[in-house]
Amino acid sequence: MSSKIPEVSSLVSEAQSVFTATYGGSADVAVSAPGRVNIIGEHTDYNDGFVFPMALPLVTVIIGRKTESGMCRVHTLSEFADKPLQVEFEAPSQSAPLKPGVPNWANYIKGVVANFPGVVSGFDAVVTTSVPLGGGLSSSASLEVATYTFLEAITGTKAPSLKEKALSCQKAEHDFANMPCGIMDQFISTMAREGYALLIDCRSLESTLVPLNDPSVSFVIINSNVRHTLSGTEYPTRRKQCHEAAKAMKKESLRDATLQDLETLKSSLSEEVYRRARHAISEIHRTQQAVSVLKKADYSQFGKLMTESHNSLRADYDVSCSELDQLVEAALEVEGVFGSRMTGGGFGGCTVTLVKQDCVDRLISHILKKYKGKPTFYVCVPSEGSQQLSLKSSGL
C-alpha cells in the first residue's frame, strides 16, 4: 500500500528521452543524489548540535554532456517547479559572475556552478527527481549535490573532500536561494552509505556512520501533502531566537547550554525565546541519547525519544501543524509502532515512524482511516549517497 519508489534506471531513461528531444543526440553522463529523512535532531544543526539523518531511495537524477559553448542549458522535469522549466545562462567568469534570478529552482543549480572549483565551459542537462518538493525531505540539497556531482563528472575536477563538497553546496543555498540552512542536508546527501544512518556533529563537522540494517524494523515516511506558507519566514526567526538565548546565557551556542542554565535565566527571556531554547537544548541531548540506545537495538526507548522530539517541536518550537499532529497521533495508536515525529523544517511536509516490519501494512491502513488528508507513504531503508551512474547499465 506504500507508494512505489521509481527505479533510478527509469528516471534516467525518462530524462534521456527528453534530453534527445530537447538538445538532440545523447547524454554521456548521469548522476544521482538522494533526499533524506532526519530521524531525530530537528532544528539543532544551526545550534551547533547533533543531527541523525539517513539518505532515502528517493533521488534527484541529472543527465547531460559537456559543451564548449559557454552556455549552461538545463531542463527540469519536475511538475512542481516554477516556470519556465528550461533555463539558459552563461557559464561564470571573473568578469561575469553568476547571480540568482528566476525561476527559483534554477538558483540551486546556479549557486553550485558559481561555487564549483573547476572550470565550467558549458553543458546541456536534464533534471528529474523522485524527491517530493516541499515535503521536508530535502529536495533542494538533493538537487545541489547532484549538480556538483554532475559538474565533477563533466569537468574531471573532484571536490577536495566530501566535506568541502557539502560545504560548497550549502554555500550555494545560502547565497543563491537565500536560505540560511544548516549543514545536515548536504552532508547526508554527499556522505551517506547504504545500510547506515549518519550522526553529524554540526560544530566539528565530524560524522559517524551508524548501522541501521535490522530487517525486523522499518522507517515509514508519511507525507501529509500539505505545506503551510509560514515555513519560509519562520525558519530565520527561529534561528535568531536561538542565538538570542545563547547570547543571554553568554554561550557560543545552545550546544554549550544546559536546561539548568536556561532555567537560571528564564526571567530575563521572553516566554517565546525561552521555549525555543528549551527545545534546542533538550533535542541536542535527545539525539545523543537516541543514537546510544539505537546501537543497543533498544527500539522502544528510541521510539520514545522520537515522540518526545515531536512533542517538543509542537509545544516549544511551534513548527508542527494540525496535519502533522494528526499523523503522529494516529501512528502511535498502532500496535508495533515504537515512535513517530514530524521531520524537516515543519509547517507541513512529512512524519517519520519507526515500526515493526510486520506491522507496516497495519500502520498504513490505520492512517488512511484516521487522517483527513491524502497522505503518501514511503517505506524506506538507508540508502547510498551521491554517485555517478552508468548509462550503459540503464540500457541506454
Side-chain angles (χ1 to χ4, degrees), residues 47-64:
N47 289 301
D48 285 349
F50 295 89
V51 291
F52 191 54
M54 73 178 198
L56 300 173
L58 300 160
V59 300
T60 294
V61 165
I62 301 179
I63 71 162

Side-chain angles (χ1 to χ4, degrees), residues 2 9 21 39 157 253 275 293 303 306 341 353:
S2 62
S9 59
I39 305 171
T157 301
S253 71
R275 288 191 293 112
V293 299
M306 287 177 68
R341 61 184 289 274
T353 300

Side-chain angles (χ1 to χ4, degrees), residues 144-209:
E144 292 153 8
V145 174
T147 299
Y148 198 111
T149 308
F150 173 73
L151 296 177
E152 287 180 314
I154 65 170
T155 65
T157 301
K158 296 290 185 182
S161 67
L162 292 179
K163 182 186 293 186
E164 289 300 316
K165 179 175 178 176
L167 288 168
S168 181
C169 290
Q170 180 198 32
K171 189 173 189 300
E173 187 151 341
H174 287 185
D175 295 349
F176 277 71
N178 198 30
M179 177 58 74
C181 62
I183 193 58
M184 170 178 63
D185 299 351
Q186 292 82 6
F187 255 56
I188 186 64
S189 190
T190 302
M191 300 179 182
R193 291 293 174 264
E194 185 176 354
Y196 293 84
L198 191 70
L199 177 66
I200 305 169
D201 182 332
C202 297
R203 168 171 281 171
S204 68
L205 300 185
E206 294 177 356
S207 57
T208 305
L209 290 165

Side-chain angles (χ1 to χ4, degrees), residues 261-278:
D261 293 331
L262 182 63
E263 290 301 320
T264 300
L265 278 176
K266 182 176 181 180
S267 60
S268 64
L269 300 172
S270 70
E271 191 222 345
E272 194 170 75
V273 169
Y274 165 77
R275 288 191 293 112
R276 304 297 186 252
R278 184 167 62 181

